[in-house]
Amino acid sequence: MQIVKKAQAGSFESSDIMVLVEPSEKSGRYIEINSSVDIQFGEQIKHAINRKLDELQVVDIHLIAKDKGALNLTICARVETAVKRAAGVQKGFIS
Amino acid sequence: MKNVIGRNIPEYINGIGKVEPFLGAWEKLKKGWMDEITVPPPNKAKLPHQCKSCMDLRMAIEKTNPHDGMTVSFHHHLRSGDNILVMTIDILAQMGIKNITLASSSLNNSHDSILKYLKDGTITKIWTSGLRGELGKAVSEGVLDVPVTIHSHGGRVRAIHTGKIQIDLAVIAASAADEEGNATGAHGKSAFGSMGYARIDSRYAKQVIIVTDNMVEYPCTPTSIQQHYVDYVVKVDSIGDASKIASGTTRITKSPMDLRIAKLAADVIENSGMFTEGFSFQVGAGGASLAVAKFIREKMKKNGVKGSFLLGGVTSYGVDMLNEGLFRAIFDVQSFDAAVSSSILKNRNNIEISSGYYANPYNCGCMTNKLDIVVLGALEIDIDFNVNVITGADGIIRGASGGHSDTASGANLTVVVCPSFRGRIPIIKKRVHTIVTPGETVDVLVTERGICVNPKKPELEESLIKAGLKIKKIEDLQKEVEGITGVEKPIEFTDKIVGIVEYRDGTIIDVIKQVKNAN
């Protein structure tokens, strides 16, 4: 999937994650993660995001995630929605 | 050496001394008398009509012979609105006093500003029930050389009358006092209710200063603190921030998760065999625990069951139940909101009690021993039902022992309520980071994902199953939760001990290590 514009999904609530995506200036994935459970789950969050991006066949992306302890399935859902919005596949809005 | 629940405890700690390992919740009490002696309280004298009033707090402190290595004590009834502890330590620091042992009944966010005195050697030892905020973080990162001692509310009383804590100066805040030092928290602009934790300090401290922002005409009643224990009386502008001391009434949580847990817990209580005429009851003031009171209140009305007494930290919700005639009395060691202060003043069945009467294990029977049912929260609980209420998921001290282990040990039915995980962090663990309350004193765990009964109580499990409640094995629930959250990477610690957790009988149940790579 091709990221063509900025998009976001999620919230800053506890147990949720805010995912912001935009086209990356250089080729490749640039992922920044900030998590309240970084010590305990940092690696797993990164892994979940990358796996979802693999699945959606996203090659070039700048992704910023602010996590407040979201479960893996929440992370995947938020990433998928943000990517689809940014690819123009799914409608959504930036508030 | 390992104590009886498998925690590694050193035999000796510098600055603390020889360590007595935890033996089991009731082991030390079994024989009915204690080998430790009760130290004599100080003998003091005043001449007739001698004046106790001082111009300001500094002048009063100067009269008490402050010295290096002294122990200073406070109560935490003003909660996060307290001004007096910081004010006192500031004065002692200005006088150049060093090596102070701070023995407050608890510490909270309002005390963050004394952190500089932990760094510069003004304060070198701490006894407390709780530790939070900047202080908790700094202690967890190893700011002090001597570990902090965490005690329970009942354990603190024992520690004082057996001489483990020898108080040189007690500075006791009161919302009303007279010139002789009769004092109370029940009225005045900074009213905070019961003064239960301060009673033992007034009896055993070498010097006692009452600080109030409300000098009333003699005599000040009720005499929560009595004049014959008081050396000096000081009037200040404000003992604290009234909005943070006790405001309005406590509201029941609206969180659907907490309400679900509370509803299940109330069902457990109803079917435990303990929900009978004349039962006694205590709930914590936090989210799910207080909400249990809401459902119990409904069940009491529906089934026509009346209780005997409510105990503990008291909220306006408890006062309402007293006024409705659902309970005959409240024994109040600590008041959580303004409505409770006025109830203490007006209702003779809302009885202010000392922390010794409340929970001290070294006497002929504290109130917690008479408890039928207690509902408590948890930061973590493990598959042996051990509970942590002191260290957070990152290993940093951010909680309080309070009456948790006291009430769990005393009650016939101890119910722990908590979510199974919080912000991806499992609350049910294979092993809690720090044990405050031993699993042998916990009977049932209620989470939104299921109820677990301690295998030590098979008859309880049987009656709950008969009532149609679904019971899970705690090991299964732990695995289920781990399946949802994923397996956590463990927090790393150094070998340095930054805190020791005293069980209520003075034995050491666990130690807290310094966190590595804290942010």
Side-chain angles (χ1 to χ4, degrees):
Chain A
M1 228 171 271
Q2 187 83 34
I3 305 298
V4 295
K5 58 184 177 186
K6 277 186 181 179
Q8 69 180 50
S11 77
F12 293 117
E13 297 293 317
S14 176
S15 304
D16 201 351
I17 184 170
M18 174 63 94
V19 178
L20 300 137
V21 300
E22 60 180 5
S24 66
E25 283 164 16
K26 289 176 242 167
S27 59
R29 287 176 188 170
Y30 295 89
I31 299 174
E32 298 165 42
I33 301 167
N34 183 311
S35 172
S36 61
V37 293
D38 185 55
I39 307 171
Q40 297 92 341
F41 291 107
E43 284 304 309
Q44 293 183 51
I45 295 166
K46 201 171 170 187
H47 184 71
I49 291 174
N50 269 310
R51 223 174 45 187
K52 182 45 85 176
L53 293 177
D54 291 345
E55 190 191 303
L56 296 169
Q57 295 177 321
V58 178
V59 183
D60 305 318
I61 189 170
H62 182 202
L63 184 151
I64 301 166
K66 304 261 184 206
D67 173 59
K68 287 266 185 76
L71 297 176
N72 268 358
L73 72 173
T74 312
I75 295 170
C76 291
R78 295 307 194 191
V79 169
E80 181 172 339
T81 307
V83 165
K84 284 182 172 172
R85 283 171 180 169
V89 179
Q90 182 176 308
K91 284 194 176 160
F93 59 88
I94 294 175
S95 52
Chain B
M1 66 185 154
K2 277 203 161 97
N3 68 13
V4 72
I5 42 177
R7 295 291 166 138
N8 268 317
I9 311 288
E11 284 173 40
Y12 186 89
I13 299 174
N14 277 335
I16 301 276
K18 212 167 160 273
V19 173
E20 195 184 348
F22 176 68
L23 302 165
W26 301 280
E27 272 315 297
K28 261 188 94 174
L29 309 177
K30 269 182 184 166
K31 63 183 177 192
W33 75 90
M34 306 315 301
D35 295 325
E36 293 102 317
I37 55 154
T38 291
V39 296
N43 272 328
K44 298 188 272 194
K46 295 265 179 194
L47 294 172
H49 301 284
Q50 190 176 341
C51 178
K52 295 183 182 178
S53 295
C54 297
M55 283 287 287
D56 55 33
L57 184 55
R58 187 181 174 112
M59 185 183 281
I61 290 173
E62 277 169 355
K63 286 185 177 179
T64 64
N65 179 33
H67 54 275
D68 289 356
M70 73 189 297
T71 297
V72 190
S73 87
F74 303 88
H75 67 69
H76 71 287
H77 288 291
L78 286 90
R79 306 201 289 157
S80 56
D82 178 33
N83 281 352
I84 296 306
L85 187 148
V86 172
M87 203 188 287
T88 304
I89 302 292
D90 278 341
I91 292 168
L92 289 168
Q94 283 159 19
M95 290 175 165
I97 309 294
K98 295 281 174 194
N99 276 322
I100 292 171
T101 296
L102 174 62
S104 182
S105 55
S106 200
L107 294 165
N108 57 50
N109 296 331
S110 69
H111 306 126
D112 276 352
S113 72
I114 65 165
L115 177 54
K116 54 181 179 287
Y117 303 130
L118 274 59
K119 290 178 178 163
D120 74 4
T122 303
I123 295 169
T124 48
K125 266 173 95 167
I126 297 179
W127 291 80
T128 183
S129 155
L131 204 53
R132 293 189 168 84
E134 295 295 319
L135 283 179
K137 187 162 181 282
V139 166
S140 306
E141 289 167 2
V143 70
L144 294 178
D145 290 332
V146 178
V148 166
T149 304
I150 302 293
H151 52 58
S152 74
H153 289 330
R156 178 174 192 266
V157 180
R158 169 201 45 75
I160 292 172
H161 77 73
T162 58
K164 267 181 138 179
I165 303 176
Q166 295 192 14
I167 305 168
D168 293 295
L169 171 63
V171 180
I172 300 176
S175 65
D178 63 36
E179 63 206 22
E180 288 297 318
N182 296 303
T184 185
H187 52 90
K189 65 170 178 173
S190 308
F192 52 82
S194 174
M195 289 187 77
Y197 300 131
R199 204 83 71 86
I200 186 74
D201 304 53
S202 77
R203 184 75 187 92
Y204 277 88
K206 290 198 182 81
Q207 304 275 329
V208 176
I209 300 175
I210 294 287
V211 183
T212 188
D213 51 11
N214 177 33
M215 282 291 257
V216 298
E217 275 186 27
Y218 190 87
C220 172
T221 58
T223 54
S224 308
I225 299 294
Q226 295 170 335
Q227 66 177 47
H228 56 303
Y229 299 131
V230 177
D231 296 271
Y232 303 106
V233 181
V234 179
K235 163 95 165 57
V236 294
D237 291 337
S238 167
I239 58 167
D241 178 347
S243 69
K244 290 181 188 159
I245 293 170
S247 53
T249 56
T250 307
R251 271 188 229 140
I252 301 284
T253 177
K254 290 201 169 90
S255 148
M257 167 112 94
D258 283 344
L259 288 170
R260 152 100 179 142
I261 296 168
K263 167 102 181 34
L264 279 176
D267 290 343
V268 165
I269 290 168
E270 184 182 11
N271 296 292
S272 64
M274 230 64 80
F275 183 68
T276 51
E277 190 67 20
F279 78 104
S280 57
F281 191 45
Q282 176 166 352
V283 291
S289 351
L290 182 62
V292 176
K294 168 187 145 81
F295 294 107
I296 289 297
R297 183 186 194 176
E298 288 164 9
K299 285 182 194 293
M300 289 174 82
K301 287 181 183 168
K302 198 176 126 207
N303 301 331
V305 173
K306 287 195 174 155
S308 62
F309 69 92
L310 285 167
L311 182 61
V314 176
T315 63
S316 58
Y317 209 78
V319 172
D320 290 345
M321 289 168 90
L322 176 71
N323 291 338
E324 286 174 349
L326 292 176
F327 288 92
R328 289 197 291 276
I330 295 179
F331 291 100
D332 187 343
V333 70
Q334 179 181 17
S335 315
F336 286 123
D337 46 45
V340 183
S341 304
S342 51
S343 174
I344 281 190
L345 200 55
K346 289 169 193 150
N347 191 336
R348 72 182 180 93
N349 293 322
N350 190 335
I351 302 150
E352 178 175 354
I353 59 168
S354 71
S355 43
Y357 190 5
Y358 170 57
N360 180 10
Y362 282 20
N363 61 27
C364 288
C366 52
M367 299 292 317
T368 53
N369 277 1
K370 187 77 182 142
L371 257 183
D372 290 315
I373 302 165
V374 68
V375 183
L376 299 165
L379 289 175
E380 295 176 340
I381 183 165
D382 67 25
I383 52 174
D384 297 318
F385 290 84
N386 298 312
V387 179
N388 169 17
V389 283
I390 192 75
T391 46
D394 49 8
I396 288 174
I397 304 171
R398 62 173 81 241
S401 166
H404 202 284
S405 63
D406 296 317
T407 52
S409 130
N412 275 323
L413 177 69
T414 300
V415 183
V416 169
V417 290
C418 59
S420 59
F421 63 93
R422 232 182 241 130
R424 196 169 182 168
I425 304 287
I427 304 299
I428 306 170
K429 306 218 187 272
K430 281 196 180 128
R431 190 174 185 276
V432 290
H433 172 228
T434 313
I435 300 177
V436 173
T437 296
E440 65 179 311
T441 63
V442 174
D443 300 308
V444 50
L445 164 69
V446 180
T447 74
E448 82 288 5
R449 257 164 227 287
I451 299 161
C452 307
V453 180
N454 194 325
K456 289 191 167 109
K457 291 285 176 95
E459 66 294 346
L460 174 64
E461 178 162 348
E462 206 173 295
S463 39
L464 296 182
I465 290 170
K466 256 189 208 156
L469 292 169
K470 280 189 192 144
I471 309 297
K472 282 179 185 171
K473 273 193 181 161
I474 195 162
E475 293 85 354
D476 295 343
L477 185 58
Q478 186 271 326
K479 280 186 201 121
E480 182 186 329
V481 170
E482 203 170 72
I484 296 165
T485 61
V487 180
E488 300 171 80
K489 197 174 145 204
I491 308 285
E492 289 184 70
F493 298 92
T494 74
D495 286 334
K496 178 176 170 172
I497 294 172
V498 296
I500 60 174
V501 183
E502 237 192 27
Y503 191 58
R504 57 200 299 268
D505 63 7
T507 59
I508 301 306
I509 193 161
D510 209 346
V511 295
I512 302 168
K513 299 273 178 76
Q514 179 186 34
V515 288
K516 208 187 246 181
N517 310 323
N519 303 319

